[in-house]
Amino acid sequence: MNLAHTAEEIAFRDDVHAFIAKNLPPEIAAKVHGGKRLGRDDYMTWHKILARQGWVAPGWPKEFGGPGWNTVQQQIFDDECAAAGAPRILPFGVKMVAPVIMRFGNAAQKQHFLPRILSGEDWWCQGYSEPGAGSDLASLKTKAERAGDHYVVNGQKTWNTLGQFADWIFVLVRTASAGRPQEGISFLLVDMKTPGITVRPIRMLDGEHEINEVWFENVKVPVANLVGEENKGWTCAKFLLGHERTGIAGVGACKRELKHLKEIARREPAGGGDSLMKDVRFRDRIAQVEIELMALEVTNLRVLSAEAEGGKRAPGPEASILKVRGTEIQQSLSELMMQAVGVYGIPYVPEALDAEWGGVPVGAEYAAPLSGHYFNMRKTSIYGGSNEIQKNIVAQLSLGL
Amino acid sequence: MDFSLTPEQGMLQDSLRKFLANEYGFDSRRKRAESADGFSRDTWAQLAELGLLGIAISEDDGGLGGDAFDSMLVMESLGRALVVEPYLSTVVLGGATIAAAGNADQKAKWLPAIVGGETLVAFAHGEPRSRYALSHVECTAKADGAGWKLDGQKAVVRDAATADVLLVSARTAGSTSDEKGISLFLVDAKAKGVAIRGYATQDGGRAGEVTLTGVQVDKDALLGNAGEAYPVIERAVDRGIAGLCAEALGIIDALNEATLEYLKTRQQFGQPIGRFQALQHRMVDMTIRAVEARSMAIVAAAGANDSDPMERRRKVSAAKAHIGQCARYVGQQAVQLHGGIGVTDELIVSHWFKRLAMINATFGDAEHHLGVFSDLLLKEDA
């Protein structure tokens, strides 16, 4: 057993580090570090920089344009990106729909869509959840009826992330109603410009517009955009949900947040002259979450290096454990940052989230995004299958209960 | 990075587990704990034959030259079986410390006897008023002719009453909580002026209060340099902590396996209680703690050997704190999920639970080490 990175891993990390230092635009990194709002251009700029380097899809096989990294290398890359303040590569194209197309798509679909995902030409969003079908996804109702060479889609999707920017959406639809709820579901690729699609913003508790409802009203989708077989979309759906494990624990982002938390605690007054860092009660809470993060990091590495060794890629209970603990730690960190600024967590000044805003902040410059971030982070234990669902998965698959 | 076991480690683990499965059932363990010594000297001899007593000692000194991860595997297995033989005291705290700090004569005198199973050691450092502060030493050693004269009291010294030699810390200079001025001595347990009041411990082990009254030792009893023993003690304790973390891990896994089995078999309301989601989620939470405890036992093993003192302190304290919390949760929940049977003496579950609680109270509990880690944050560069 050896906790240390190998010489190859260190050399790899140095390469990645040097590339990011040279190529990540500082104004984008400043937005990420400062908790400012990111726009479509911020995401796309970084996506395209990585695409030119061949690094935008670390988990893809080489034949489709992946860099051929193992899981440990992918994690090192994730960590370095997060530490540098790179925007995350949005998962909807690269990590969600692409693997489904690779596995279940036909030659034409692979040829058309995969290069466009890599290059960033198409921005993808997801159409899975519905108002009545969250964690119980199989109960979805959005309907697609076959009419010659196309389907007519009607229904409503929700919890759609950043779909206001998207060119394409992948949708689970019901193409048959007989049998078990998992049967009769199909997986469709839909051009967002198709008439009949309406995107309505859902304003979230932090006041931001990150999430949408997407309505389908007699939307015509060519049958050529069906992935896999009609009525067999549940296989695609499950494959998609369990696909990518690297990055699921969010270790890199947590480390960046922990660093930010410590900086804030060093700068905030404890209320008597000393810094908040010298307040033993508050410092102990930072220590607690840092120790939990150490345990998560090593656990994450253990899972990934076992995978790198065994070539195991199937979804499993380890991913659920990483998701549960990762999201709990993200939530703790966001809560501590909000608490660190005390009363300056109270003002709501959304303009301050714009990097271009020239106004005077209320309180310290770093304070404005913190409460919103805390509110926003509540989603992490709900999305991607709520943490309770993850525990059901571990209970069934790992413990046989 | 490599988390896999070497073939040698796999063999070591297999042979030890097989040995314990054959020789160390719960009833047999109870008999050992209730015997006069509190453990079996026959078993100790068998452990010596298996080579386990030399794991932490270099080949030059007559040991097997294993690394921290070998020790981790041994302690994990010993924990699972609730072994009461004085492995931690004699091998991890005793032998490894003499190997690290002793001169050639001392190593030649003590190490072969430890590796061979003939000599038992107790680590007599803690005192009634020191709690977990390693530098708090009231016990004194005064230069006396060609040697030293020791006076003072040592508290809750594990395996004291059966030890042949005590590793005693005493102040040769400085004031009570100075790190400088502490020295370590090898003291014959039968020496004139040594009084040991032995007793049983909550977890079925043995310990004792050691009183030293004008104990005369020769100058070759001094281990390392006079007044410079603090870092030696700290490293010994860190090795001990890594061992305890591994021992706790073995117990945590064992408790989870037993509890899972119980959830699947125990019927209530016409079905196995493991069908109830409230209990499933509890069991998952226990499983997550076990997974993380293994990660942190690895951190402790790596940390105890870290050459950077600050990194060593961070890793070891983080591991002790985190495993203490995991152990508390798993232990308490395992008892709870077993219901009434879980709070009886007849079931091994309650004994695993008690050992975990006592591990937490040894060399600093979770709160203590959280505090140590927390205070290190003040030393980080802004």
Side-chain angles (χ1 to χ4, degrees):
Chain A
M1 255 182 288
N2 189 353
L3 268 179
H5 281 305
T6 62
E8 290 84 12
E9 286 164 348
I10 291 168
F12 175 81
R13 191 184 62 199
D14 292 345
D15 281 351
V16 167
H17 186 90
F19 175 82
I20 297 171
K22 192 163 162 227
N23 292 282
L24 175 64
E27 62 278 9
I28 295 183
K31 283 187 190 181
V32 172
H33 284 307
K36 308 286 189 202
R37 212 173 274 130
L38 294 174
R40 189 184 203 275
D41 288 349
D42 297 316
Y43 288 110
M44 287 323 304
T45 301
W46 181 234
H47 185 113
K48 286 179 176 165
I49 290 169
L50 288 180
R52 281 196 295 276
Q53 179 73 4
W55 288 1
V56 83
W60 287 24
K62 265 190 159 165
E63 55 167 318
F64 294 116
W69 293 339
N70 67 27
T71 47
V72 174
Q73 289 172 309
Q74 292 176 46
Q75 184 63 45
I76 291 170
F77 177 71
D78 274 359
D79 283 358
E80 288 296 323
C81 285
R88 63 191 185 121
I89 292 300
L90 293 174
F92 312 107
V94 170
K95 286 191 173 184
M96 294 179 151
V97 76
V100 171
I101 292 173
M102 285 175 206
R103 175 73 177 269
F104 302 100
N106 58 38
Q109 289 166 340
K110 288 180 200 171
Q111 234 163 31
H112 178 72
F113 289 109
L114 296 177
R116 297 168 65 92
I117 290 171
L118 272 188
S119 68
E121 199 165 348
D122 292 338
W123 177 304
W124 282 84
C125 66
Q126 63 89 9
Y128 261 39
S129 301
E130 297 183 7
S135 291
D136 179 15
L137 186 57
S139 66
L140 63 90
K141 292 201 172 58
T142 295
K143 214 192 278 182
E145 284 170 309
R146 181 88 180 244
D149 61 355
H150 62 264
Y151 292 100
V152 179
V153 178
N154 279 286
Q156 181 196 354
K157 292 290 174 181
T158 191
W159 313 133
N160 162 279
T161 304
L162 299 177
Q164 68 266 36
F165 302 138
D167 307 297
W168 284 82
I169 183 169
F170 54 91
V171 197
L172 288 178
V173 292
R174 187 159 292 291
T175 38
S177 50
R180 297 188 313 133
Q182 286 83 356
E183 292 160 20
I185 289 172
S186 299
F187 192 100
L188 292 184
L189 311 176
V190 183
D191 187 335
M192 289 292 279
K193 288 189 293 293
T194 321
I197 296 180
T198 312
V199 178
R200 290 185 191 160
I202 301 175
R203 197 170 136 99
M204 302 303 281
L205 77 174
D206 57 353
E208 294 296 299
H209 171 203
E210 181 186 38
I211 305 291
N212 305 281
E213 292 177 340
V214 182
W215 292 77
F216 294 82
E217 199 180 347
N218 295 321
V219 175
K220 284 170 74 174
V221 180
V223 170
N225 289 1
L226 171 73
V227 179
E229 287 176 58
E230 188 175 277
N231 296 333
K232 300 279 197 244
W234 189 247
T235 320
C236 301
K238 277 196 307 184
F239 179 78
L240 183 152
L241 287 176
H243 190 70
E244 275 286 349
R245 292 215 224 178
T246 53
I248 195 169
V251 170
C254 284
K255 283 177 158 176
R256 184 180 70 216
E257 304 273 277
L258 174 69
K259 194 163 166 249
H260 192 37
L261 168 64
K262 287 179 180 175
E263 282 160 8
I264 293 171
R266 283 191 208 103
R267 289 168 66 172
E268 284 294 307
D274 268 346
S275 81
L276 186 59
M277 197 57 144
K278 293 197 175 145
D279 176 336
V280 69
R281 287 191 201 116
F282 193 83
R283 193 173 67 242
D284 281 359
R285 294 184 65 197
I286 299 177
Q288 176 71 37
V289 71
E290 180 164 1
I291 289 171
E292 289 176 18
L293 180 52
M294 280 172 83
L296 176 71
E297 182 176 13
V298 178
T299 302
N300 187 43
L301 290 171
R302 288 206 294 130
V303 171
L304 296 178
S305 61
E307 275 176 22
E309 213 158 276
K312 197 174 72 158
R313 300 282 302 167
E318 297 92 347
S320 296
I321 289 176
L322 294 174
K323 196 260 175 181
V324 168
R325 289 300 290 141
T327 55
E328 285 173 353
I329 290 168
Q330 288 160 34
Q331 291 180 338
S332 300
L333 286 165
S334 68
E335 186 171 7
L336 285 174
M337 281 190 278
M338 174 182 72
Q339 289 188 341
V341 293
V343 293
Y344 280 112
I346 297 173
Y348 175 58
V349 188
E351 313 84 88
L353 302 188
D354 277 330
E356 289 77 24
W357 184 61
V360 179
V362 182
E365 217 253 325
Y366 50 74
L370 298 178
S371 292
H373 181 57
Y374 162 70
F375 297 138
N376 184 276
M377 281 294 104
R378 304 316 300 171
K379 72 188 176 189
T380 63
S381 51
I382 299 167
Y383 68 27
S386 70
N387 285 10
E388 287 72 21
I389 294 290
Q390 303 301 331
K391 289 183 184 180
N392 289 352
I393 291 171
V394 178
Q396 280 161 24
L397 296 186
S398 173
L399 303 179
L401 285 171
Chain B
M1 205 172 333
D2 179 13
F3 294 101
S4 56
L5 298 185
T6 63
E8 292 77 20
Q9 286 171 331
M11 273 162 51
L12 169 72
Q13 193 174 44
D14 284 350
S15 62
L16 180 54
R17 285 202 176 173
K18 208 170 287 167
F19 170 73
L20 292 171
N22 291 335
E23 303 284 324
Y24 228 95
F26 181 44
D27 287 336
S28 145
R29 188 258 186 189
R30 192 189 293 273
K31 284 202 191 83
R32 291 156 211 264
E34 288 168 358
S35 69
D37 281 342
F39 70 93
S40 157
R41 290 185 188 265
D42 288 345
T43 302
W44 190 249
Q46 286 172 300
L47 292 175
E49 269 168 43
L50 285 170
L52 295 180
L53 308 188
I55 286 267
I57 290 164
S58 74
E59 289 176 50
D60 289 348
D61 292 327
L64 289 183
D67 65 13
F69 297 110
D70 295 302
S71 295
M72 175 182 157
L73 292 177
V74 172
M75 286 302 292
E76 185 187 345
S77 295
L78 298 183
R80 175 177 279 267
L82 284 178
V83 166
V84 287
E85 279 65 25
Y87 189 86
L88 188 82
S89 299
T90 295
V91 177
V92 179
L93 296 166
T97 305
I98 294 169
N103 58 34
D105 287 348
Q106 288 164 332
K107 289 201 265 190
K109 179 179 177 190
W110 296 108
L111 296 182
I114 288 172
V115 174
E118 296 109 44
T119 295
L120 301 177
V121 188
F123 184 70
H125 174 57
E127 298 185 0
R129 290 163 48 80
S130 63
R131 195 171 161 85
Y132 302 131
L134 294 182
S135 65
H136 184 107
V137 174
E138 295 181 28
C139 187
T140 58
K142 294 199 168 72
D144 188 81
W148 302 84
K149 186 163 72 84
L150 276 60
D151 284 279
Q153 193 184 343
K154 295 292 171 180
V156 200
V157 176
R158 188 86 182 175
D159 303 311
T162 45
D164 302 299
V165 60
L166 305 171
L167 213 46
V168 177
S169 59
R171 189 162 286 290
T172 44
S175 55
T176 309
S177 56
D178 286 351
E179 289 182 5
K180 282 225 150 98
I182 303 170
S183 306
L184 263 180
F185 297 92
L186 287 152
V187 179
D188 185 339
K190 304 275 184 313
K192 192 161 170 283
V194 175
I196 299 173
R197 178 192 167 201
Y199 43 78
T201 54
Q202 297 285 343
D203 51 25
R206 299 293 168 93
E209 301 295 292
V210 177
T211 309
L212 304 144
T213 313
V215 179
Q216 288 285 345
V217 295
D218 294 336
K219 69 175 186 334
D220 62 3
L222 178 68
L223 192 68
N225 296 328
E228 292 173 14
Y230 180 79
V232 176
I233 292 165
E234 202 184 22
R235 285 205 92 143
V237 168
D238 283 347
R239 267 194 301 273
I241 289 174
L244 289 170
C245 285
E247 186 183 353
L249 170 64
I251 298 174
I252 286 169
D253 277 346
L255 272 171
N256 277 352
E257 283 165 28
T259 307
L260 181 60
E261 181 63 27
Y262 189 74
L263 290 182
K264 287 179 178 175
T265 49
R266 168 71 170 163
Q267 303 272 324
Q268 292 269 270
F269 306 103
Q271 55 185 323
I273 58 175
R275 294 266 165 82
F276 297 110
Q277 197 184 44
L279 303 194
Q280 289 177 359
H281 285 193
R282 197 92 57 86
M283 193 68 236
V284 171
D285 289 335
M286 293 161 71
T287 304
I288 294 174
R289 260 101 170 164
V291 168
E292 294 196 337
R294 181 168 298 280
S295 298
M296 291 308 262
I298 294 169
V299 169
N305 278 339
D306 208 308
S307 49
D308 173 357
M310 169 115 161
E311 237 349 81
R312 193 181 95 221
R313 185 74 274 122
R314 264 172 51 82
K315 287 193 180 121
V316 172
S317 282
K320 189 69 164 60
H322 195 267
I323 287 179
Q325 292 172 346
C326 292
R328 183 182 296 157
Y329 185 80
V330 170
Q332 291 173 354
Q333 295 308 320
V335 168
Q336 174 72 18
L337 293 182
H338 274 86
I341 191 77
V343 286
T344 65
D345 181 67
E346 94 182 60
L347 203 68
I348 189 170
V349 165
S350 66
H351 297 265
W352 276 321
F353 167 64
K354 287 196 286 184
R355 178 65 191 140
L356 285 181
M358 296 308 114
I359 287 174
N360 202 25
T362 306
F363 297 145
D365 58 18
E367 286 69 26
H368 171 79
H369 283 284
L370 177 72
V372 171
F373 187 90
S374 174
D375 289 346
L376 282 180
L377 296 182
L378 292 174
K379 295 188 182 162
E380 283 181 6
D381 295 328

